[in-house]
Amino acid sequence: MYPNDGFRELGRHECMRLLATAPVGRIVHTRQALPAVVPVNFCLDDDGAVLLRTSAASEMARAVDGSVVAFEADAVDADKQSGWSVVVTGRAGVVTDPAEVERLDRIGPRSWVPSPEEIFVRIEPELVTGRELVGGRTMYGVHLSAGGAAHGA
């Protein structure tokens, strides 16, 4: 992500393991030539693809179909000054194969806002990056204290 920013860089396997623990993430796509961010619930397929379930009339689904998007999920503990963030970048597509739709209907995420007609969006994980801050301590060994925070640490 950003080398030398004090966070520990995570490997792909660790990123996917953490991502599987998050209930909600954010899909980042382009809307009217500007970045748009939409919070969504999701799950991971066996091959690591990010799966979303949304209304067939969803503007977001139409906007991302066939596009390269970013998907981000994280967990933060402000009291402990620790947390992680994982970003998956890849091509998104609406799933149209009937057999695949049937399979995803059994294993895929359940929409938090169900609609009469739902579709699945699949994001292929072409680039997976992540970073972590543990226990308020940077990778440089510097403690994040009230004094350090004031200096931008």
Side-chain angles (χ1 to χ4, degrees), residues 49-70:
V50 175
L51 299 172
L52 315 174
R53 185 180 199 146
T54 189
S55 165
S58 165
E59 230 180 89
M60 182 269 300
R62 284 192 304 277
V64 303
D65 191 24
S67 298
V68 173
V69 301

Side-chain angles (χ1 to χ4, degrees), residues 12-152:
R12 184 181 182 108
H13 179 74
E14 194 170 10
C15 285
M16 299 310 286
R17 182 186 61 75
L18 289 169
L19 197 59
T21 68
V24 175
R26 286 156 291 287
I27 186 166
V28 182
H29 64 94
T30 303
R31 183 176 179 197
Q32 298 176 349
L34 296 171
V37 180
V38 179
V40 292
N41 66 305
F42 71 102
C43 74
L44 296 179
D45 205 347
D46 293 338
D47 64 358
V50 175
L51 299 172
L52 315 174
R53 185 180 199 146
T54 189
S55 165
S58 165
E59 230 180 89
M60 182 269 300
R62 284 192 304 277
V64 303
D65 191 24
S67 298
V68 173
V69 301
F71 179 83
E72 189 270 346
D74 54 40
V76 176
D77 184 329
D79 291 334
K80 293 181 180 176
Q81 297 180 330
S82 63
W84 58 266
S85 173
V86 170
V87 177
V88 172
T89 305
R91 189 161 305 279
V94 172
V95 177
T96 57
D97 177 64
E100 182 67 357
V101 169
E102 185 178 316
R103 182 184 78 85
L104 294 179
D105 196 41
R106 288 190 310 273
I107 67 139
R110 297 285 167 229
S111 177
W112 288 5
V113 185
S115 68
E117 282 189 58
E118 294 181 328
I119 58 171
F120 291 97
V121 174
R122 179 181 184 86
I123 303 169
E124 296 297 337
E126 294 170 27
L127 176 63
V128 178
T129 59
R131 57 194 209 148
E132 176 183 43
L133 178 63
V134 178
R137 188 179 193 91
T138 72
M139 67 180 264
Y140 307 119
V142 177
H143 281 283
L144 296 178
S145 63
H151 295 96

